[in-house]
Amino acid sequence: MIAPPAEQWDIGDNMTSVTEFTLLGFPLGLRIQILLFGFFSLFCACTLLGNGLILGLIWLDSRLHTPMYFFLSHLAIVDIAYACNTVPQMLVNLLKPDKPISFAGCLTQTFLFLTFAVTECLLLVVMSYDQYVAICHPLRYSAIMNWRVCITLVLTSWTIGVLLSLIDLMLLLPLPFCRFQKINHFFCEIMAVLKLACVDTHVNEIVVLAGAISVLVGPLSSTVISYMCILCAILRIQSGEGQRKAFSTCSSHLCVVGLFYGTAIIMYVGPRYGNPKEQKKYLLLFHSIFNPMLNPLIYSLRNLEVKNALKRVLGIERLMKRLWHPG
């Protein structure tokens, strides 16, 4: 009997029923890992506090019960979900690098991350369209952006996010994985997980890449077209005050769009120097921790309505009136 090739023996020996993975995270010294644990814990707390504050203001202040802030509230939910999905496991790994994550927990983390990423991308497009209607068709705004349309757009964004992620998950589940399950990442990123499979994963990688391109290129093109129309409409405004107000209306959202798509473009089509895998890991770290933390800061610092809502909720506006008009 002729023995099978050595590769077959290796694959057969290494294949096993996977129950857990080990996340390698950031291979640094113990002191640096403890320092990072403190920083990332602080960033996570700021993310939860900032986005929770945005949600609370929108809920409590009736003047913010508009389509724009309805979409913003869902963006805040996505940002909170990002932090809750990736940061806790990363903090655990910083203190206990050898602590594994279960197979089910890893796939759940992969599915949720993809869902939130796609949903955020589509919500940003919806918010761009809202800005376009508000500035280019102000007289028809209430008729176009009625609550039925707003709810439909949000539900569609979440549904597409879930369905696209389910496709990737269904293709990932049947794959056999090798025995030594060490993921070179700080969370179960789908491409890092696919590299551990004992079979060819080109189909999975093509599907993931095609989904990423479709989710990025289509929405980005729509966003660019919306803002080109917005810019043309703003330039047609005669008064300088009107132009400043229009720019103020969309500047916060434009900053958030720039952060999201800028990170994604650098990640997928940017120049590669040194170790591309490590570059992608740190870019995903920025996307998972810093973007969700910066979004509420951008909206609160650059948005007069949010500032005024915060003053009303805290009672500062009423206190100032009493100080200036004690009678």
Side-chain angles (χ1 to χ4, degrees), residues 24 116 131 155 173 196 204 250 254 313 321:
L24 297 181
F116 300 143
Q131 298 287 338
L155 288 178
L173 277 172
L196 301 180
N204 300 72
C250 59
L254 194 56
V313 170
K321 288 180 179 179

Side-chain angles (χ1 to χ4, degrees), residues 34 69 74 107 133 144 153 165 222 244 247 250 268 275-276 279 309 317:
I34 293 174
Y69 293 101
H74 281 268
L107 293 190
V133 176
I144 297 174
L153 289 172
S165 303
S222 301
R244 282 192 295 271
F247 272 119
C250 59
Y268 289 103
N275 191 339
Q279 291 176 11
E317 195 174 71

Side-chain angles (χ1 to χ4, degrees), residues 23-317:
L23 295 168
L24 297 181
F26 305 99
L28 303 169
L30 180 60
R31 291 184 178 180
I32 297 178
Q33 286 185 328
I34 293 174
L35 185 64
L36 288 177
F37 177 87
F39 277 124
F40 291 156
S41 298
L42 179 62
F43 295 152
C44 183
C46 291
T47 298
L48 298 178
L49 181 62
N51 286 286
L53 181 62
I54 293 290
L55 283 174
L57 288 176
I58 294 171
W59 177 268
L60 294 172
D61 196 313
S62 59
R63 300 185 194 183
L64 299 184
H65 293 175
T66 62
M68 173 184 171
Y69 293 101
F70 175 67
F71 300 138
L72 179 58
S73 67
H74 281 268
L75 185 65
I77 291 171
V78 170
D79 287 338
I80 291 173
Y82 261 131
C84 293
N85 184 47
T86 57
V87 176
Q89 184 65 40
M90 183 177 63
L91 294 178
V92 170
N93 287 345
L94 285 171
L95 295 182
K96 297 180 180 179
D98 296 329
K99 186 174 177 61
I101 180 173
S102 68
F103 179 75
C106 185
L107 293 190
T108 301
Q109 191 179 58
T110 301
F111 169 75
L112 291 176
F113 183 86
L114 293 172
T115 299
F116 300 143
V118 175
T119 303
E120 180 174 10
C121 189
L122 296 177
L123 283 174
L124 290 175
V125 177
V126 170
M127 295 174 75
S128 299
Y129 177 69
D130 176 69
Q131 298 287 338
Y132 163 76
V133 176
I135 294 175
C136 298
H137 305 283
L139 299 179
R140 299 173 55 201
Y141 180 79
S142 299
I144 297 174
M145 298 303 295
N146 58 68
W147 282 110
R148 183 178 180 180
V149 170
C150 294
I151 293 171
T152 301
L153 289 172
V154 166
L155 288 178
T156 302
S157 299
W158 282 101
T159 302
I160 293 175
V162 170
L163 291 178
L164 288 180
S165 303
L166 272 177
I167 293 172
D168 290 328
L169 186 65
M170 290 299 103
L171 291 174
L172 181 63
L173 277 172
L175 296 179
F177 290 93
C178 299
R179 182 179 301 163
F180 305 106
Q181 302 305 317
K182 293 185 178 181
I183 300 175
N184 185 21
H185 222 291
F186 64 90
F187 79 104
C188 292
E189 194 262 339
I190 187 166
M191 299 302 286
V193 175
L194 285 174
K195 293 185 184 302
L196 301 180
C198 292
V199 294
D200 183 67
T201 58
H202 279 95
V203 173
N204 300 72
E205 293 173 6
I206 290 171
V207 170
V208 172
L209 186 60
I213 291 174
S214 62
V215 166
L216 286 174
V217 173
L220 179 59
S221 302
S222 301
T223 302
V224 170
I225 292 171
S226 296
Y227 273 100
M228 287 176 63
C229 296
I230 289 171
L231 181 61
C232 292
I234 290 175
L235 293 177
R236 286 197 298 266
I237 298 175
Q238 300 297 325
S239 67
E241 181 64 29
Q243 287 186 346
R244 282 192 295 271
K245 186 176 180 181
F247 272 119
S248 176
T249 301
C250 59
S251 60
S252 300
H253 179 252
L254 194 56
C255 290
V256 173
V257 168
L259 273 175
F260 181 88
Y261 285 108
T263 305
I265 290 171
I266 294 172
M267 193 184 308
Y268 289 103
V269 299
R272 295 288 186 265
Y273 301 104
N275 191 339
K277 293 180 182 178
E278 291 300 311
Q279 291 176 11
K280 186 176 180 181
K281 186 193 297 186
Y282 287 107
L283 284 169
L284 276 172
L285 176 67
F286 184 89
H287 179 78
S288 304
I289 295 182
F290 294 102
N291 273 15
M293 182 182 69
L294 292 173
N295 287 352
L297 288 175
I298 292 170
Y299 276 106
S300 60
L301 292 177
R302 299 184 62 87
N303 193 304
L304 188 60
E305 289 181 333
V306 173
K307 291 180 182 178
N308 291 336
L310 181 60
K311 291 178 182 178
R312 287 192 295 269
V313 170
L314 297 178
I316 296 175
E317 195 174 71

